[in-house]
């Protein structure tokens, strides 16, 4: 496995254990039939409780049965899951960073007791509803509204591109509280079997096929006061969750890139053309050298993010830089790896093209490459260029 600058030597025993366990899980439970799931457009749902048992959801948080590991262990875990498939890592990212995290950070004691053990074990599945049909990169323009009634709220609106919504038990829905002054954004824990909730599956995806994506329709959905997240108001709520998830993505995509690289390296040694392995050609070696260097750069960024996060100094702009850089690396590496596999590279028998297609989603969700570029531009100049 590519580890050119020997980062392995910096890992603690616990981190190695977590990494090895996740790698074994992916090798034994995911890799054998992920290609079939990808073709069928299905997520291997039978793995959801297993992933919970192994502590894959919110491994960096503690209490309520959560593992309470460090940030590097969390990153390593995301890396191994995405070496299997970005859909698998997306499942863990949403459940951990976008559902468990906001309840853990902003929920009431009752909400924590009710949801965290079930979500952590995978007994319940959650989803995160921020994006709307008319508001993607600019979620603050959201139109979903919550209006007070006697003992709670009535929600109306629609969310789209929501990972796991068709299989979720609960949705963290971000909506404007139009009954409060200034209509602040608030988080609502909406059980998907409530009257007025629909969660249609989005069909026809050519990327992230081994992941279920859907809409959330909210038609006069009554949500009691006790299901509103009490600890946060405004866009800080959803954005703080996204920073957590983007940290996991910056780590995760290194796994997809590494997996594609290893496939290409092996293939180059096995595949003979013109009387010997294609790995003897300088053109092929040049591609491997470039890929290995780019992946190593991405690994260094991911490890540094974990150090900063662990000591509480991580700024969201730094996460933007790593998400943007590492996804770009994965996009480039997976495409070059596909190319090195020739015609065989376009099938699901090999991982590079599946990873390559997945990365198109990862390039777009959790802040597009353009949006992270603007975040960096604003941080570097003090001038915002979003509008
Ligand atoms: P748009 O915002 O319409 O962008 C279109 C293009 O315009 C992009 O290239 C963008 O970079 C560019 N652009 C936009 N604004 C600017 C600007 N100011 N300057 C320059 N260029 C700009 N959302 C959730 O809430 N929960 C989920 O679980 C979730 N899962 C997803 C799963 C998948 C498979 C996908 C594809 C998406 C998911 N999303 C989810 C939604 C995702 O976060 C959005 O797709 C993303 O934020 C981009 O929004 P958009 O698709 O509306 O594109």
């Amino acid at each position: 496995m590519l580890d050119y600058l020997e980062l392995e030597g910096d890992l603690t025993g616990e981190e190695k254990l977590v990494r090895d366990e996740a790698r074994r899980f992916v090798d034994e439970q995911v890799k054998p039939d992920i290609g079939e799931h990808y073709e069928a457009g299905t997520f291997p749902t039978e793995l959801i409780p297993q992933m919970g048992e192994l502590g894959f959801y919110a491994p960096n948080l503690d209490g309520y049965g959560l593992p309470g590991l460090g940030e590097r262990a969390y990153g390593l875990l995301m890396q191994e899951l995405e070496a299997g498939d970005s859909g698998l890592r997306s499942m863990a990212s949403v459940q951990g960073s976008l559902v468990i995290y906001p309840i853990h950070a902003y929920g009431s004691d009752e909400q924590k007791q009710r949801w965290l053990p079930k979500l952590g074990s995978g007994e319940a599945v959650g989803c995160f509803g921020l994006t709307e049909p008319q508001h993607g990169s600019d979620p603050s323009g959201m139109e979903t509204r919550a209006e007070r009634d006697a003992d709670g709220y009535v929600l109306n609106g629609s969310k789209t591109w929501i990972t796991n919504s068709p299989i979720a038990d609960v949705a963290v829905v971000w909506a404007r509280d139009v009954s409060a002054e200034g209509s602040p954004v608030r988080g609502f824990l909406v059980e998907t079997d409530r009257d007025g909730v629909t969660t249609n599956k989005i069909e026809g995806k050519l990327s992230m096929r081994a992941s279920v994506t859907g809409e959330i329709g909210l038609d006069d959905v009554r949500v009691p006061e006790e299901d509103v997240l009490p600890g946060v108001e405004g866009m800080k709520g959803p954005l703080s969750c996204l920073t957590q998830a983007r940290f996991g993505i910056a780590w995760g995509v290194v796994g997809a890139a590494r997996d594609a690289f290893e496939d290409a390296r092996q293939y180059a040694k096995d595949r003979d053309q013109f009387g010997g392995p294609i790995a003897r050609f300088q053109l092929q070696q040049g591609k491997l050298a470039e890929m290995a260097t780019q992946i190593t750069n991405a690994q260094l960024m991911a490890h540094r993010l974990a150090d900063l996060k662990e000591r509480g100094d991580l700024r969201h702009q730094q996460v933007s830089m790593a998400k943007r850089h590492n996804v770009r690396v994965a996009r480039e590496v997976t495409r070059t790896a596909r190319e090195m596999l020739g015609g065989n590279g376009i099938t699901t028998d090999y991982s590079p093209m599946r990873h390559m297609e997945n990365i198109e989603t990862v390039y777009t969700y959790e802040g597009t490459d353009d949006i992270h570029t603007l975040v960096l531009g604003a941080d570097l100049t003090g001038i915002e260029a979003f509008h």
Side-chain angles (χ1 to χ4, degrees):
M1 259 341 141
L2 184 72
D3 178 22
Y4 211 72
L5 295 184
E6 296 169 28
L7 290 160
E8 170 92 16
D10 295 342
L11 302 184
T12 64
E14 183 180 69
E15 288 164 350
K16 284 184 197 161
L17 212 68
V18 169
R19 194 263 327 263
D20 292 345
E21 193 172 48
R23 193 173 284 177
R24 200 166 36 248
F25 169 79
V26 166
D27 284 344
E28 291 172 7
Q29 309 284 332
V30 179
K31 285 197 169 170
D33 46 29
I34 192 66
E36 282 166 36
H37 277 290
Y38 198 85
E39 279 185 56
T42 52
F43 182 81
T45 44
E46 68 281 4
L47 299 182
I48 293 173
Q50 271 191 60
M51 290 168 69
E53 260 168 52
L54 291 166
F56 290 176
Y57 306 131
N60 54 335
L61 300 181
D62 56 12
Y64 307 93
L66 300 170
L69 301 170
E71 302 296 346
R72 192 187 307 274
Y74 167 39
L76 288 163
L77 190 54
M78 295 298 124
Q79 185 174 273
E80 295 310 319
L81 293 181
E82 196 145 2
D85 192 87
S86 300
L88 201 70
R89 199 268 309 136
S90 294
M91 164 72 209
S93 285
V94 168
Q95 184 90 344
S97 296
L98 300 180
V99 181
I100 293 178
Y101 173 80
I103 298 174
H104 195 272
Y106 309 124
S108 65
D109 282 347
E110 293 73 34
Q111 289 168 348
K112 290 179 194 181
Q113 267 154 23
R114 176 166 181 216
W115 287 111
L116 295 182
K118 277 201 245 178
L119 289 163
S121 68
E123 190 194 323
V125 173
C127 68
F128 178 86
L130 179 63
T131 304
E132 298 184 356
Q134 303 307 325
H135 307 280
S137 294
D138 181 15
S140 66
M142 73 176 66
E143 293 168 52
T144 300
R145 45 191 280 135
E147 214 168 344
R148 267 203 172 280
D149 77 348
D151 55 353
Y153 286 87
V154 178
L155 265 62
N156 278 289
S158 59
K159 300 287 178 180
T160 192
W161 290 115
I162 308 305
T163 302
N164 286 347
S165 77
I167 58 166
D169 301 289
V170 63
V172 177
V173 170
W174 300 96
R176 290 211 173 269
D177 177 357
V178 294
S179 306
E181 200 181 329
S183 301
V185 169
R186 303 199 65 185
F188 298 81
L189 303 179
V190 182
E191 291 135 293
T192 51
D193 59 2
R194 279 192 179 277
D195 284 348
V197 178
T198 49
T199 57
N200 298 331
K201 185 179 174 189
I202 295 175
E203 304 284 357
K205 286 184 299 171
L206 296 176
S207 166
M208 205 64 96
R209 288 185 55 74
S211 170
V212 190
T213 318
E215 303 166 334
I216 304 176
L218 301 155
D219 184 12
D220 280 337
V221 178
R222 301 204 66 262
V223 177
E225 178 77 42
E226 62 262 28
D227 289 348
V228 184
L229 292 176
V232 75
E233 224 180 71
M235 284 305 289
K236 172 181 178 284
L239 293 181
S240 63
C241 302
L242 293 176
T243 301
Q244 301 295 316
R246 288 165 181 166
F247 168 85
I249 291 173
W251 273 90
V253 290
V254 179
R258 188 196 69 202
D259 191 61
F261 168 83
E262 293 298 354
D263 257 22
R265 167 154 69 170
Q266 192 58 50
Y267 192 86
K269 290 198 273 189
D270 293 343
R271 174 75 175 166
D272 285 354
Q273 286 296 290
F274 297 96
I278 60 169
R280 78 190 191 286
F281 296 130
Q282 290 178 1
L283 284 175
Q284 303 306 318
Q285 291 192 2
K287 289 174 194 177
L288 290 171
E290 186 57 29
M291 285 195 273
T293 308
Q294 292 297 331
I295 292 170
T296 301
N297 255 331
Q299 285 171 334
L300 288 171
M301 270 209 188
H303 277 258
R304 180 63 183 160
L305 279 200
D307 290 340
L308 290 171
K309 194 166 193 288
E310 197 63 63
R311 66 180 205 216
D313 288 339
L314 187 61
R315 296 191 305 125
H316 75 85
Q317 294 91 341
Q318 293 165 327
V319 179
S320 283
M321 178 181 275
K323 193 266 183 185
R324 177 178 179 273
H325 176 264
N326 290 5
V327 175
R328 283 180 170 212
V329 165
R331 202 185 197 200
E332 196 61 38
V333 164
T334 53
R335 195 172 51 189
T336 308
R338 202 298 302 156
E339 166 187 320
M340 289 180 66
L341 267 61
N344 286 330
I346 72 157
T347 67
T348 48
D349 293 342
Y350 295 88
S351 73
M353 187 147 175
R354 179 169 47 78
H355 285 311
M356 181 186 107
E357 288 168 343
N358 281 336
I359 295 298
E360 289 306 301
T361 287
V362 185
Y363 192 78
T364 291
Y365 75 11
E366 298 273 356
T368 68
D369 180 89
D370 291 331
I371 293 299
H372 289 296
T373 304
L374 297 177
V375 168
L376 292 176
D379 195 40
L380 294 167
T381 64
I383 305 168
E384 290 202 345
F386 292 94
H387 303 282

